[in-house]
Coordinates of all heavy atoms in Angstrom, one line a residue:
M122 N -51.2 -211.6 -103.0 CA -51.6 -212.8 -103.6 C -52.2 -212.5 -105.0 O -53.0 -211.6 -105.2 CB -52.8 -213.5 -102.8 CG -53.4 -214.7 -103.4 SD -54.4 -215.6 -102.3 CE -56.0 -214.8 -102.6
A123 N -51.7 -213.2 -106.0 CA -52.1 -212.9 -107.4 C -53.1 -213.9 -107.8 O -53.0 -215.1 -107.6 CB -50.9 -212.9 -108.3
F124 N -54.1 -213.5 -108.5 CA -55.1 -214.4 -109.1 C -54.8 -214.7 -110.5 O -54.1 -213.9 -111.2 CB -56.5 -213.8 -109.1 CG -57.1 -213.6 -107.7 CD1 -57.3 -212.3 -107.2 CD2 -57.4 -214.7 -106.9 CE1 -57.8 -212.2 -105.9 CE2 -58.0 -214.6 -105.7 CZ -58.2 -213.3 -105.2
R125 N -55.2 -215.9 -111.0 CA -55.0 -216.2 -112.4 C -55.8 -215.2 -113.2 O -56.8 -214.6 -112.8 CB -55.6 -217.6 -112.7 CG -54.7 -218.7 -112.1 CD -55.2 -220.0 -112.3 NE -55.5 -220.3 -113.7 CZ -56.3 -221.3 -114.2 NH1 -56.8 -222.1 -113.3 NH2 -56.5 -221.5 -115.4
P126 N -55.4 -214.9 -114.5 CA -56.2 -214.0 -115.3 C -57.6 -214.5 -115.4 O -57.9 -215.7 -115.6 CB -55.5 -214.1 -116.7 CG -54.1 -214.6 -116.4 CD -54.2 -215.4 -115.2
A127 N -58.6 -213.6 -115.4 CA -60.0 -213.9 -115.4 C -60.4 -214.8 -116.6 O -61.2 -215.7 -116.5 CB -60.8 -212.7 -115.4
E128 N -59.7 -214.5 -117.7 CA -60.1 -215.3 -118.9 C -59.7 -216.7 -118.9 O -60.1 -217.5 -119.7 CB -59.4 -214.6 -120.2 CG -59.9 -213.2 -120.5 CD -59.2 -212.1 -119.6 OE1 -58.3 -212.4 -118.8 OE2 -59.6 -211.0 -119.7
S129 N -58.8 -217.1 -118.0 CA -58.3 -218.5 -117.9 C -59.0 -219.3 -116.8 O -58.6 -220.5 -116.6 CB -56.8 -218.5 -117.7 OG -56.5 -218.1 -116.4
V130 N -59.9 -218.8 -116.1 CA -60.6 -219.5 -115.0 C -61.8 -220.2 -115.5 O -62.7 -219.5 -116.1 CB -60.9 -218.5 -113.9 CG1 -61.7 -219.2 -112.8 CG2 -59.6 -217.9 -113.3
H131 N -62.0 -221.5 -115.2 CA -63.2 -222.2 -115.4 C -64.1 -221.9 -114.3 O -63.8 -222.2 -113.1 CB -62.9 -223.7 -115.6 CG -62.1 -224.0 -116.8 ND1 -62.7 -224.0 -118.1 CD2 -60.8 -224.2 -117.0 CE1 -61.8 -224.3 -119.0 NE2 -60.6 -224.4 -118.3
T132 N -65.3 -221.5 -114.5 CA -66.2 -221.0 -113.5 C -67.2 -222.0 -112.9 O -67.6 -221.8 -111.8 CB -67.0 -219.8 -114.0 OG1 -67.8 -220.2 -115.1 CG2 -66.1 -218.6 -114.4
A133 N -67.5 -223.1 -113.6 CA -68.4 -224.0 -113.1 C -67.9 -224.6 -111.8 O -68.7 -224.7 -110.8 CB -68.7 -225.1 -114.1
P134 N -66.7 -225.0 -111.6 CA -66.2 -225.5 -110.4 C -66.3 -224.5 -109.2 O -66.5 -224.8 -108.1 CB -64.7 -225.9 -110.6 CG -64.6 -226.1 -112.1 CD -65.6 -225.1 -112.7
I135 N -66.1 -223.2 -109.6 CA -66.2 -222.2 -108.6 C -67.7 -222.0 -108.1 O -67.9 -221.9 -106.9 CB -65.7 -220.8 -109.1 CG1 -64.2 -221.0 -109.5 CG2 -66.0 -219.7 -108.1 CD1 -63.7 -219.8 -110.3
V136 N -68.6 -222.2 -109.0 CA -70.0 -222.1 -108.7 C -70.4 -223.3 -107.7 O -71.1 -223.1 -106.7 CB -70.9 -222.2 -110.0 CG1 -72.4 -222.4 -109.7 CG2 -70.8 -220.9 -110.7
V137 N -69.9 -224.5 -108.1 CA -70.1 -225.6 -107.2 C -69.5 -225.4 -105.8 O -70.2 -225.7 -104.8 CB -69.5 -226.9 -107.8 CG1 -69.5 -228.1 -106.9 CG2 -70.2 -227.3 -109.1
T138 N -68.3 -224.8 -105.8 CA -67.7 -224.5 -104.5 C -68.5 -223.5 -103.7 O -68.7 -223.7 -102.5 CB -66.3 -224.0 -104.7 OG1 -65.5 -225.0 -105.4 CG2 -65.6 -223.6 -103.4
G139 N -69.0 -222.5 -104.3 CA -69.8 -221.5 -103.6 C -71.1 -222.1 -103.1 O -71.5 -221.8 -101.9
L140 N -71.9 -222.8 -103.9 CA -73.2 -223.3 -103.4 C -73.0 -224.5 -102.4 O -73.6 -224.5 -101.4 CB -74.0 -223.7 -104.6 CG -74.5 -222.5 -105.4 CD1 -75.1 -222.9 -106.8 CD2 -75.6 -221.7 -104.6
I141 N -72.3 -225.5 -102.8 CA -72.2 -226.6 -101.9 C -71.3 -226.3 -100.7 O -71.6 -226.6 -99.6 CB -71.6 -227.9 -102.7 CG1 -72.7 -228.3 -103.7 CG2 -71.3 -229.0 -101.7 CD1 -72.3 -229.5 -104.5
G142 N -70.2 -225.6 -101.0 CA -69.3 -225.2 -99.9 C -69.9 -224.3 -98.9 O -69.8 -224.4 -97.7
G143 N -70.7 -223.3 -99.4 CA -71.4 -222.4 -98.6 C -72.5 -223.2 -97.7 O -72.6 -222.9 -96.5
Y144 N -73.2 -224.1 -98.3 CA -74.1 -224.9 -97.5 C -73.4 -225.7 -96.4 O -73.8 -225.7 -95.3 CB -74.9 -225.8 -98.5 CG -75.7 -226.8 -97.7 CD1 -76.9 -226.5 -97.0 CD2 -75.4 -228.2 -97.7 CE1 -77.6 -227.4 -96.3 CE2 -76.1 -229.1 -97.0 CZ -77.2 -228.7 -96.3 OH -78.0 -229.6 -95.6
L145 N -72.3 -226.4 -96.8 CA -71.6 -227.2 -95.8 C -71.0 -226.3 -94.7 O -71.1 -226.7 -93.6 CB -70.5 -228.0 -96.5 CG -70.9 -229.3 -97.2 CD1 -69.8 -229.9 -98.0 CD2 -71.4 -230.3 -96.1
A146 N -70.5 -225.2 -95.1 CA -69.9 -224.3 -94.0 C -70.9 -223.9 -93.0 O -70.7 -223.9 -91.8 CB -69.2 -223.1 -94.7
A147 N -72.1 -223.5 -93.5 CA -73.2 -223.1 -92.6 C -73.7 -224.2 -91.8 O -73.9 -224.1 -90.6 CB -74.3 -222.5 -93.5
R148 N -73.9 -225.4 -92.4 CA -74.4 -226.5 -91.7 C -73.5 -227.1 -90.7 O -73.9 -227.4 -89.6 CB -74.7 -227.6 -92.8 CG -75.3 -228.9 -92.1 CD -75.6 -229.9 -93.2 NE -76.0 -231.1 -92.5 CZ -76.2 -232.3 -93.0 NH1 -75.9 -232.4 -94.3 NH2 -76.5 -233.3 -92.3
E149 N -72.2 -227.2 -91.0 CA -71.3 -227.9 -90.1 C -70.8 -227.0 -89.0 O -70.5 -227.4 -87.9 CB -70.1 -228.4 -90.9 CG -70.4 -229.5 -91.9 CD -71.1 -230.7 -91.2 OE1 -70.7 -231.2 -90.1 OE2 -72.1 -231.2 -91.8
T150 N -70.8 -225.7 -89.2 CA -70.4 -224.7 -88.2 C -71.5 -224.2 -87.4 O -71.3 -223.7 -86.3 CB -69.6 -223.6 -88.7 OG1 -70.4 -222.8 -89.6 CG2 -68.3 -224.0 -89.5
G151 N -72.7 -224.2 -88.0 CA -73.9 -223.6 -87.3 C -73.9 -222.1 -87.5 O -74.7 -221.4 -86.9
I152 N -72.9 -221.6 -88.3 CA -72.8 -220.1 -88.5 C -73.2 -219.8 -89.9 O -72.4 -219.9 -90.8 CB -71.3 -219.7 -88.2 CG1 -70.9 -220.1 -86.8 CG2 -71.2 -218.1 -88.4 CD1 -69.4 -219.9 -86.6
R153 N -74.5 -219.5 -90.1 CA -75.0 -219.3 -91.4 C -74.3 -218.1 -92.2 O -74.1 -218.3 -93.4 CB -76.5 -219.0 -91.3 CG -77.3 -220.2 -90.9 CD -78.8 -220.0 -90.8 NE -79.3 -219.8 -92.2 CZ -80.5 -219.9 -92.5 NH1 -81.4 -220.3 -91.7 NH2 -80.9 -219.7 -93.8
P154 N -73.9 -217.0 -91.5 CA -73.2 -216.0 -92.3 C -71.9 -216.5 -92.9 O -71.5 -216.0 -93.9 CB -73.0 -214.9 -91.2 CG -74.1 -215.1 -90.2 CD -74.3 -216.6 -90.2
L155 N -71.3 -217.5 -92.2 CA -70.1 -218.0 -92.8 C -70.3 -218.7 -94.2 O -69.6 -218.5 -95.1 CB -69.4 -219.1 -91.9 CG -68.1 -219.7 -92.3 CD1 -67.0 -218.7 -92.6 CD2 -67.7 -220.7 -91.3
G156 N -71.4 -219.4 -94.3 CA -71.8 -220.0 -95.6 C -72.1 -218.9 -96.6 O -71.8 -219.0 -97.7
G157 N -72.7 -217.8 -96.1 CA -73.0 -216.7 -97.0 C -71.7 -216.0 -97.5 O -71.6 -215.6 -98.7
V158 N -70.7 -215.9 -96.7 CA -69.4 -215.3 -97.1 C -68.8 -216.2 -98.2 O -68.3 -215.7 -99.2 CB -68.5 -215.2 -95.9 CG1 -67.1 -214.9 -96.3 CG2 -69.0 -214.1 -94.9
L159 N -68.8 -217.5 -98.0 CA -68.2 -218.4 -99.0 C -69.0 -218.3 -100.3 O -68.4 -218.2 -101.4 CB -68.2 -219.8 -98.5 CG -67.6 -220.9 -99.4 CD1 -66.1 -220.4 -99.8 CD2 -67.5 -222.2 -98.8
L160 N -70.3 -218.3 -100.2 CA -71.2 -218.1 -101.4 C -70.9 -216.8 -102.1 O -70.7 -216.8 -103.3 CB -72.7 -218.2 -100.9 CG -73.7 -217.9 -102.0 CD1 -74.0 -219.2 -102.7 CD2 -75.0 -217.4 -101.4
G161 N -70.8 -215.8 -101.3 CA -70.5 -214.5 -101.9 C -69.1 -214.4 -102.6 O -69.0 -213.9 -103.7
L162 N -68.1 -214.9 -101.9 CA -66.7 -214.8 -102.5 C -66.6 -215.6 -103.7 O -66.0 -215.2 -104.7 CB -65.7 -215.3 -101.4 CG -65.4 -214.4 -100.2 CD1 -64.6 -215.1 -99.2 CD2 -64.8 -213.1 -100.7
A163 N -67.2 -216.8 -103.8 CA -67.2 -217.6 -105.0 C -68.0 -216.9 -106.1 O -67.6 -217.0 -107.2 CB -67.8 -219.0 -104.7
G164 N -69.1 -216.3 -105.7 CA -69.9 -215.6 -106.8 C -69.1 -214.4 -107.4 O -69.2 -214.3 -108.6
V165 N -68.4 -213.7 -106.5 CA -67.7 -212.6 -107.1 C -66.5 -213.1 -107.9 O -66.2 -212.5 -109.0 CB -67.1 -211.7 -105.9 CG1 -66.1 -210.7 -106.4 CG2 -68.3 -211.0 -105.2
F166 N -65.8 -214.1 -107.5 CA -64.7 -214.7 -108.3 C -65.2 -215.2 -109.6 O -64.6 -215.0 -110.6 CB -64.0 -215.7 -107.5 CG -62.7 -216.2 -108.0 CD1 -61.6 -215.3 -108.1 CD2 -62.5 -217.4 -108.5 CE1 -60.4 -215.6 -108.7 CE2 -61.3 -217.8 -109.1 CZ -60.2 -216.9 -109.2
A167 N -66.3 -215.9 -109.6 CA -66.9 -216.4 -110.9 C -67.3 -215.3 -111.7 O -67.1 -215.2 -112.9 CB -68.0 -217.4 -110.6
G168 N -68.0 -214.3 -111.1 CA -68.5 -213.1 -111.9 C -67.4 -212.4 -112.6 O -67.6 -211.8 -113.7
R169 N -66.2 -212.3 -112.0 CA -65.0 -211.7 -112.6 C -64.7 -212.3 -113.9 O -64.4 -211.6 -114.9 CB -63.9 -211.8 -111.6 CG -62.5 -211.6 -112.1 CD -61.5 -211.9 -110.9 NE -60.2 -211.8 -111.4 CZ -59.5 -212.9 -111.7 NH1 -60.0 -214.1 -111.6 NH2 -58.2 -212.8 -112.1
S170 N -64.8 -213.6 -113.9 CA -64.5 -214.3 -115.2 C -65.6 -214.2 -116.2 O -65.4 -214.1 -117.4 CB -64.1 -215.8 -114.9 OG -62.9 -215.9 -114.3
W171 N -66.9 -214.3 -115.7 CA -68.0 -214.2 -116.6 C -67.9 -212.8 -117.3 O -68.1 -212.8 -118.5 CB -69.3 -214.3 -115.8 CG -69.6 -215.6 -115.2 CD1 -69.1 -216.8 -115.5 CD2 -70.4 -215.8 -114.0 NE1 -69.6 -217.8 -114.7 CE2 -70.4 -217.2 -113.7 CE3 -71.1 -215.0 -113.2 CZ2 -71.1 -217.8 -112.7 CZ3 -71.8 -215.5 -112.1 CH2 -71.8 -216.9 -111.9
L172 N -67.6 -211.8 -116.6 CA -67.6 -210.5 -117.2 C -66.4 -210.4 -118.2 O -66.6 -209.8 -119.3 CB -67.4 -209.4 -116.1 CG -67.4 -208.0 -116.5 CD1 -68.8 -207.6 -117.1 CD2 -67.2 -207.1 -115.3
A173 N -65.3 -210.9 -117.8 CA -64.1 -210.8 -118.7 C -64.3 -211.6 -120.0 O -63.9 -211.2 -121.1 CB -62.9 -211.3 -118.0
K174 N -65.0 -212.8 -119.9 CA -65.2 -213.7 -121.0 C -66.4 -213.3 -121.9 O -66.3 -213.5 -123.1 CB -65.3 -215.1 -120.5 CG -64.0 -215.7 -120.0 CD -64.3 -217.1 -119.5 CE -63.0 -217.8 -119.0 NZ -63.3 -219.2 -118.6
K175 N -67.5 -213.0 -121.3 CA -68.8 -212.8 -122.0 C -69.5 -211.5 -121.8 O -70.5 -211.3 -122.5 CB -69.7 -214.0 -121.6 CG -69.2 -215.3 -122.0 CD -69.2 -215.5 -123.5 CE -68.7 -216.9 -123.9 NZ -68.9 -217.2 -125.3
G176 N -69.0 -210.6 -121.0 CA -69.6 -209.3 -120.9 C -70.7 -209.2 -119.8 O -71.1 -210.2 -119.2
P177 N -71.3 -208.0 -119.7 CA -72.2 -207.8 -118.6 C -73.6 -208.5 -118.7 O -74.2 -208.8 -117.7 CB -72.4 -206.2 -118.7 CG -71.9 -205.8 -120.0 CD -71.0 -206.8 -120.5
A178 N -74.1 -208.7 -119.9 CA -75.4 -209.4 -120.0 C -75.3 -210.8 -119.5 O -76.2 -211.3 -118.7 CB -75.9 -209.3 -121.5
T179 N -74.3 -211.6 -119.9 CA -74.2 -212.9 -119.5 C -73.8 -213.0 -118.0 O -74.3 -213.8 -117.3 CB -73.0 -213.6 -120.3 OG1 -73.4 -213.6 -121.7 CG2 -72.8 -215.1 -119.8
T180 N -73.0 -212.0 -117.5 CA -72.7 -211.9 -116.1 C -74.0 -211.7 -115.3 O -74.2 -212.4 -114.3 CB -71.7 -210.8 -115.8 OG1 -70.5 -211.1 -116.6 CG2 -71.4 -210.7 -114.4
A181 N -74.8 -210.8 -115.7 CA -76.1 -210.6 -115.0 C -77.0 -211.8 -115.0 O -77.6 -212.1 -114.0 CB -76.8 -209.4 -115.7
A182 N -77.1 -212.5 -116.1 CA -77.9 -213.7 -116.2 C -77.4 -214.8 -115.3 O -78.2 -215.4 -114.5 CB -78.0 -214.2 -117.6
L183 N -76.1 -215.0 -115.3 CA -75.5 -216.1 -114.5 C -75.5 -215.7 -113.0 O -75.7 -216.6 -112.2 CB -74.1 -216.4 -114.9 CG -74.0 -217.1 -116.3 CD1 -72.5 -217.2 -116.7 CD2 -74.6 -218.5 -116.2
S184 N -75.4 -214.4 -112.7 CA -75.5 -214.0 -111.3 C -76.9 -214.2 -110.8 O -77.1 -214.6 -109.7 CB -75.1 -212.5 -111.2 OG -73.8 -212.3 -111.5
A185 N -77.9 -213.9 -111.6 CA -79.3 -214.1 -111.2 C -79.6 -215.6 -111.0 O -80.3 -216.0 -110.1 CB -80.2 -213.6 -112.3
I186 N -79.0 -216.5 -111.9 CA -79.2 -217.9 -111.7 C -78.5 -218.4 -110.4 O -79.1 -219.2 -109.6 CB -78.7 -218.7 -112.9 CG1 -79.5 -218.4 -114.1 CG2 -78.6 -220.2 -112.6 CD1 -78.9 -218.9 -115.5
Y187 N -77.3 -217.9 -110.1 CA -76.6 -218.3 -109.0 C -77.3 -217.8 -107.7 O -77.5 -218.7 -106.8 CB -75.2 -217.6 -109.1 CG -74.2 -218.0 -108.0 CD1 -73.6 -219.2 -107.9 CD2 -73.8 -217.0 -107.0 CE1 -72.7 -219.5 -106.9 CE2 -72.9 -217.3 -106.0 CZ -72.3 -218.6 -106.0 OH -71.4 -218.8 -105.0
V188 N -77.6 -216.6 -107.6 CA -78.3 -216.0 -106.4 C -79.7 -216.6 -106.3 O -80.2 -216.9 -105.2 CB -78.2 -214.5 -106.4 CG1 -79.1 -213.9 -105.2 CG2 -76.8 -214.0 -106.3
G189 N -80.4 -216.7 -107.4 CA -81.7 -217.2 -107.4 C -81.8 -218.7 -107.0 O -82.7 -219.1 -106.3
G190 N -80.8 -219.4 -107.4 CA -80.7 -220.8 -107.0 C -80.5 -220.9 -105.5 O -81.1 -221.8 -104.9
F191 N -79.7 -220.1 -105.0 CA -79.5 -220.1 -103.5 C -80.8 -219.8 -102.8 O -81.2 -220.5 -101.9 CB -78.4 -219.0 -103.1 CG -78.4 -218.7 -101.6 CD1 -77.9 -219.6 -100.7 CD2 -78.9 -217.5 -101.2 CE1 -77.9 -219.4 -99.4 CE2 -78.9 -217.2 -99.8 CZ -78.4 -218.1 -98.9
G192 N -81.5 -218.8 -103.3 CA -82.8 -218.5 -102.7 C -83.9 -219.6 -102.9 O -84.6 -219.9 -102.0
L193 N -83.9 -220.2 -104.1 CA -84.8 -221.3 -104.4 C -84.5 -222.5 -103.6 O -85.4 -223.3 -103.3 CB -84.7 -221.6 -105.9 CG -85.6 -222.7 -106.4 CD1 -87.1 -222.3 -106.2 CD2 -85.3 -223.0 -107.8
S194 N -83.3 -222.7 -103.2 CA -82.9 -224.0 -102.5 C -83.6 -224.0 -101.1 O -83.9 -225.1 -100.7 CB -81.4 -224.1 -102.3 OG -80.9 -223.1 -101.4
H195 N -84.0 -222.9 -100.5 CA -84.6 -223.0 -99.2 C -86.0 -223.5 -99.3 O -86.4 -224.5 -98.6 CB -84.5 -221.6 -98.6 CG -83.2 -221.2 -98.2 ND1 -82.3 -220.6 -99.1 CD2 -82.5 -221.3 -97.0 CE1 -81.1 -220.4 -98.5 NE2 -81.2 -220.8 -97.3
P196 N -86.9 -222.9 -100.1 CA -88.3 -223.6 -100.2 C -88.2 -224.9 -100.8 O -89.0 -225.8 -100.5 CB -89.1 -222.6 -101.0 CG -88.1 -221.7 -101.7 CD -86.8 -221.7 -100.9
L197 N -87.3 -225.1 -101.8 CA -87.2 -226.5 -102.4 C -86.8 -227.5 -101.4 O -87.3 -228.7 -101.4 CB -86.2 -226.4 -103.5 CG -86.1 -227.6 -104.4 CD1 -87.4 -227.9 -105.1 CD2 -85.0 -227.3 -105.5
A198 N -86.0 -227.2 -100.4 CA -85.5 -228.1 -99.4 C -86.7 -228.6 -98.5 O -86.7 -229.7 -98.1 CB -84.5 -227.4 -98.5
K199 N -87.7 -227.8 -98.4 CA -88.9 -228.2 -97.6 C -89.7 -229.3 -98.3 O -90.4 -230.0 -97.7 CB -89.8 -227.0 -97.3 CG -89.1 -226.0 -96.3 CD -89.9 -224.8 -96.0 CE -89.2 -223.9 -95.1 NZ -89.9 -222.7 -94.7
R200 N -89.5 -229.3 -99.7 CA -90.3 -230.3 -100.5 C -89.5 -231.5 -100.7 O -90.1 -232.6 -100.7 CB -90.7 -229.6 -101.8 CG -91.5 -228.4 -101.6 CD -92.2 -228.0 -102.8 NE -93.5 -228.7 -102.7 CZ -94.4 -228.7 -103.7 NH1 -94.2 -228.0 -104.8 NH2 -95.5 -229.3 -103.5
I201 N -88.2 -231.4 -101.0 CA -87.4 -232.6 -101.4 C -86.2 -232.9 -100.5 O -85.5 -233.9 -100.7 CB -86.9 -232.4 -102.9 CG1 -85.9 -231.3 -103.0 CG2 -88.1 -232.3 -103.8 CD1 -85.3 -231.2 -104.4
G202 N -86.0 -232.1 -99.5 CA -84.9 -232.3 -98.6 C -83.7 -231.3 -98.9 O -83.6 -230.8 -100.1
A203 N -82.9 -231.1 -97.9 CA -81.8 -230.1 -98.1 C -80.8 -230.5 -99.1 O -80.5 -229.7 -100.1 CB -81.1 -229.9 -96.7
W204 N -80.2 -231.7 -99.1 CA -79.2 -232.1 -100.0 C -79.7 -232.2 -101.4 O -79.1 -231.6 -102.4 CB -78.5 -233.4 -99.6 CG -77.4 -233.2 -98.7 CD1 -77.3 -233.6 -97.4 CD2 -76.1 -232.6 -99.1 NE1 -76.0 -233.2 -96.9 CE2 -75.3 -232.6 -97.9 CE3 -75.6 -232.0 -100.2 CZ2 -74.1 -232.0 -97.9 CZ3 -74.4 -231.4 -100.2 CH2 -73.6 -231.5 -99.0
P205 N -80.9 -232.8 -101.7 CA -81.4 -232.8 -103.1 C -81.6 -231.4 -103.6 O -81.3 -231.1 -104.8 CB -82.7 -233.6 -103.0 CG -82.5 -234.5 -101.8 CD -81.7 -233.7 -100.8
A206 N -82.1 -230.5 -102.7 CA -82.3 -229.1 -103.2 C -81.0 -228.4 -103.5 O -80.9 -227.8 -104.6 CB -83.0 -228.3 -102.1
V207 N -80.0 -228.5 -102.6 CA -78.7 -227.9 -102.9 C -78.1 -228.5 -104.2 O -77.5 -227.7 -105.0 CB -77.8 -228.0 -101.7 CG1 -76.3 -227.6 -102.0 CG2 -78.3 -227.2 -100.5
L208 N -78.1 -229.8 -104.3 CA -77.5 -230.4 -105.5 C -78.2 -230.0 -106.8 O -77.6 -229.8 -107.8 CB -77.5 -231.9 -105.3 CG -76.5 -232.4 -104.2 CD1 -76.7 -233.9 -104.0 CD2 -75.1 -232.1 -104.5
S209 N -79.5 -229.9 -106.7 CA -80.3 -229.5 -107.9 C -80.0 -228.1 -108.3 O -79.7 -227.8 -109.5 CB -81.8 -229.6 -107.6 OG -82.2 -230.9 -107.3
V210 N -80.0 -227.1 -107.4 CA -79.7 -225.7 -107.8 C -78.2 -225.6 -108.2 O -77.9 -224.8 -109.1 CB -80.1 -224.7 -106.8 CG1 -81.6 -224.8 -106.5 CG2 -79.3 -224.8 -105.5
T211 N -77.4 -226.4 -107.6 CA -76.0 -226.3 -108.0 C -75.8 -226.8 -109.4 O -75.0 -226.3 -110.2 CB -75.1 -227.1 -107.0 OG1 -75.2 -226.6 -105.7 CG2 -73.6 -227.1 -107.4
A212 N -76.4 -227.9 -109.7 CA -76.3 -228.5 -111.1 C -76.9 -227.5 -112.1 O -76.2 -227.3 -113.2 CB -77.1 -229.8 -111.2
L213 N -77.9 -226.8 -111.8 CA -78.5 -225.8 -112.7 C -77.5 -224.7 -112.9 O -77.2 -224.3 -114.0 CB -79.8 -225.3 -112.2 CG -80.5 -224.2 -113.0 CD1 -81.0 -224.7 -114.3 CD2 -81.6 -223.6 -112.2
S214 N -77.0 -224.1 -111.8 CA -76.2 -223.0 -111.9 C -74.8 -223.3 -112.5 O -74.3 -222.6 -113.4 CB -76.0 -222.4 -110.5 OG -75.3 -221.2 -110.5
A215 N -74.2 -224.4 -112.1 CA -72.9 -224.8 -112.7 C -73.1 -225.2 -114.2 O -72.2 -224.9 -115.0 CB -72.3 -226.0 -111.9
G216 N -74.2 -225.8 -114.5 CA -74.5 -226.2 -115.9 C -74.6 -225.0 -116.8 O -74.1 -224.9 -117.9
A217 N -75.3 -224.0 -116.3 CA -75.5 -222.7 -117.0 C -74.1 -222.0 -117.2 O -73.8 -221.5 -118.3 CB -76.5 -221.8 -116.3
S218 N -73.3 -222.0 -116.2 CA -72.0 -221.4 -116.2 C -71.1 -222.1 -117.3 O -70.5 -221.5 -118.1 CB -71.4 -221.4 -114.9 OG -70.1 -220.7 -114.9
W219 N -71.2 -223.4 -117.3 CA -70.4 -224.2 -118.2 C -70.9 -223.9 -119.7 O -70.1 -223.6 -120.6 CB -70.5 -225.7 -118.0 CG -69.7 -226.5 -119.0 CD1 -68.4 -226.7 -119.0 CD2 -70.3 -227.0 -120.2 NE1 -68.1 -227.4 -120.2 CE2 -69.2 -227.6 -120.9 CE3 -71.6 -227.2 -120.7 CZ2 -69.4 -228.3 -122.1 CZ3 -71.8 -227.8 -121.9 CH2 -70.7 -228.4 -122.5
A220 N -72.2 -224.0 -119.8 CA -72.8 -223.8 -121.2 C -72.6 -222.4 -121.8 O -72.3 -222.3 -122.9 CB -74.3 -224.1 -121.1
L221 N -72.7 -221.4 -120.9 CA -72.6 -220.0 -121.4 C -71.2 -219.5 -121.4 O -71.0 -218.5 -122.2 CB -73.5 -219.1 -120.6 CG -75.0 -219.4 -120.7 CD1 -75.8 -218.5 -119.7 CD2 -75.5 -219.3 -122.1
V222 N -70.3 -220.0 -120.6 CA -69.0 -219.4 -120.5 C -67.9 -220.4 -120.7 O -67.0 -220.3 -121.6 CB -68.8 -218.7 -119.2 CG1 -67.4 -218.1 -119.0 CG2 -69.9 -217.6 -119.0
D223 N -67.9 -221.5 -119.9 CA -66.7 -222.4 -119.9 C -66.6 -223.2 -121.1 O -65.5 -223.6 -121.5 CB -66.8 -223.3 -118.6 CG -66.7 -222.5 -117.3 OD1 -66.2 -221.4 -117.4 OD2 -67.0 -223.1 -116.3
R224 N -67.6 -223.6 -121.7 CA -67.6 -224.5 -122.9 C -66.7 -223.9 -124.0 O -66.0 -224.7 -124.7 CB -69.0 -224.8 -123.4 CG -69.0 -225.6 -124.6 CD -70.4 -226.0 -125.1 NE -71.3 -224.8 -125.1 CZ -72.6 -224.9 -125.4 NH1 -73.2 -226.1 -125.6 NH2 -73.3 -223.8 -125.4
D225 N -66.7 -222.7 -124.2 CA -66.0 -222.0 -125.2 C -64.5 -221.9 -124.9 O -63.7 -221.5 -125.8 CB -66.5 -220.6 -125.5 CG -67.9 -220.7 -126.0 OD1 -68.3 -221.7 -126.6 OD2 -68.6 -219.6 -125.9
S226 N -64.1 -222.1 -123.7 CA -62.6 -221.9 -123.3 C -61.9 -223.2 -123.2 O -62.3 -224.3 -123.3 CB -62.5 -221.1 -122.1 OG -63.4 -221.5 -121.1

């Protein structure tokens, strides 16, 4: 299986897939590690493009936002609910990905 060149991939939709898809996979199957696998695969795939397009500093920052958003969604869900928390961190992470990487392509 061949992947598209890293430079031609828009990463914000991949971030959305990883965070929302990972949440849905874990919630609907009851298998939390399955959600983590989807989250991780999407993160690696997005990271490949971040690195190719903008280098290691931007990749590190966006990776921290992505993983940090996942971590933040858990305590945030206790305050505002699961869906609002997931959607909030997804919007932040995808927005950062678009602003720092995708907007220029």
Side-chain angles (χ1 to χ4, degrees):
M122 177 169 89
F124 292 113
R125 290 177 53 197
E128 295 83 4
S129 69
V130 174
H131 293 282
T132 58
I135 297 167
V136 167
V137 170
T138 300
L140 288 166
I141 293 178
Y144 170 70
L145 277 173
R148 179 179 174 194
E149 296 302 316
T150 65
I152 304 169
R153 292 181 66 159
L155 180 60
V158 167
L159 183 55
L160 177 82
L162 289 173
V165 168
F166 192 65
R169 161 187 174 262
S170 290
W171 295 333
L172 185 60
K174 291 179 178 183
K175 295 293 181 171
T179 300
T180 301
L183 289 171
S184 296
I186 292 168
Y187 182 73
V188 173
F191 167 72
L193 178 64
S194 69
H195 292 82
L197 188 59
K199 293 179 182 179
R200 304 195 89 182
I201 65 173
W204 271 113
V207 170
L208 293 174
S209 296
V210 302
T211 299
L213 175 70
S214 189
S218 185
W219 177 83
L221 296 176
V222 177
D223 294 345
R224 178 174 48 183
D225 295 338
S226 43

